[in-house]
């Protein structure tokens, strides 16, 4: 894992766009070029960590402080622990993390619950670009008292 560089915008944008393109319940709102630009903006802000081999990106996580804005893995890399590794790295040194996922994204909901996140709110989608109902999840670090 490493911090993303501007050269990673193309691959991270493709991963993001590909998810939207192959997910039946996801509205097609943005072109691949727009997804690349969006990822470039997150990279420029210093939010993005990528996982992969050399310059190849298998997945990425965008986090600003305690807010996880995006976690996506390339289709051919799913099921290999990349999402978990990215999320584990994001947890380091954080007392809590918060994120949103769509109610329709059953896989993400199962993943976040398995990784220690709890549902804290639901919305009707009025405040996201896609207009899809979403769920807010929160993770809190478990501190053990010294013996």
């Amino acid at each position: 894992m490493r911090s993303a560089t501007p050269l990673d915008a193309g691959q991270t944008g493709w991963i993001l766009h590909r998810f939207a393109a192959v997910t039946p319940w996801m509205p097609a709102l943005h072109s691949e070029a727009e997804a690349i630009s969006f990822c470039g903006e997150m990279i420029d802000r210093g939010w993005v960590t990528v996982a992969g081999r050399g310059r190849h990106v298998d997945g990425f996580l965008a986090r600003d402080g305690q807010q996880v804005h995006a976690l996506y893995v390339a289709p051919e890399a799913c099921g290999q622990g990349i999402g978990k590794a990215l999320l584990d790295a994001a947890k380091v040194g954080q007392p809590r993390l918060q994120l949103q996922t769509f109610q329709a994204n059953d896989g993400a909901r199962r993943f976040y619950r398995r990784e220690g996140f709890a549902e804290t709110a639901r919305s009707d989608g009025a405040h996201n670009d896609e207009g899809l109902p979403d769920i807010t999840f929160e993770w809190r670090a478990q501190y053990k008292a010294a013996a």
Side-chain angles (χ1 to χ4, degrees), residues 8-131:
D8 296 316
Q11 290 184 76
T12 56
W14 178 86
I15 292 169
L16 177 61
H17 180 71
R18 174 83 177 145
F19 173 80
V22 302
T23 303
W25 48 261
M26 187 72 148
L29 298 178
H30 305 287
S31 68
E32 185 174 351
E34 290 170 320
I36 291 169
S37 176
F38 175 68
C39 286
E41 290 174 18
M42 292 190 296
I43 290 168
D44 289 346
R45 291 177 181 160
W47 293 359
V48 180
T49 300
V50 296
R53 302 163 311 279
R55 296 304 310 168
H56 180 76
V57 175
D58 289 320
F60 72 96
L61 184 141
R63 178 180 60 83
D64 178 24
Q66 296 177 349
Q67 182 68 38
V68 175
H69 291 278
L71 173 55
Y72 290 91
V73 176
E76 68 277 5
C78 287
Q80 298 177 22
I82 293 167
K84 178 178 176 24
L86 285 163
L87 195 55
D88 285 348
K91 290 176 178 178
V92 173
Q94 296 294 323
R96 68 186 272 278
L97 292 175
Q98 186 177 54
L99 56 85
Q100 285 76 37
T101 193
F102 297 114
Q103 290 181 28
N105 195 340
D106 293 329
R109 291 169 45 199
R110 283 191 305 273
F111 171 73
Y112 291 125
R113 286 186 180 115
R114 188 171 61 241
E115 296 307 314
F117 283 75
E119 181 178 325
T120 59
R122 287 185 176 234
S123 90
D124 63 2
H127 299 292
N128 63 56
D129 291 343
E130 296 80 3

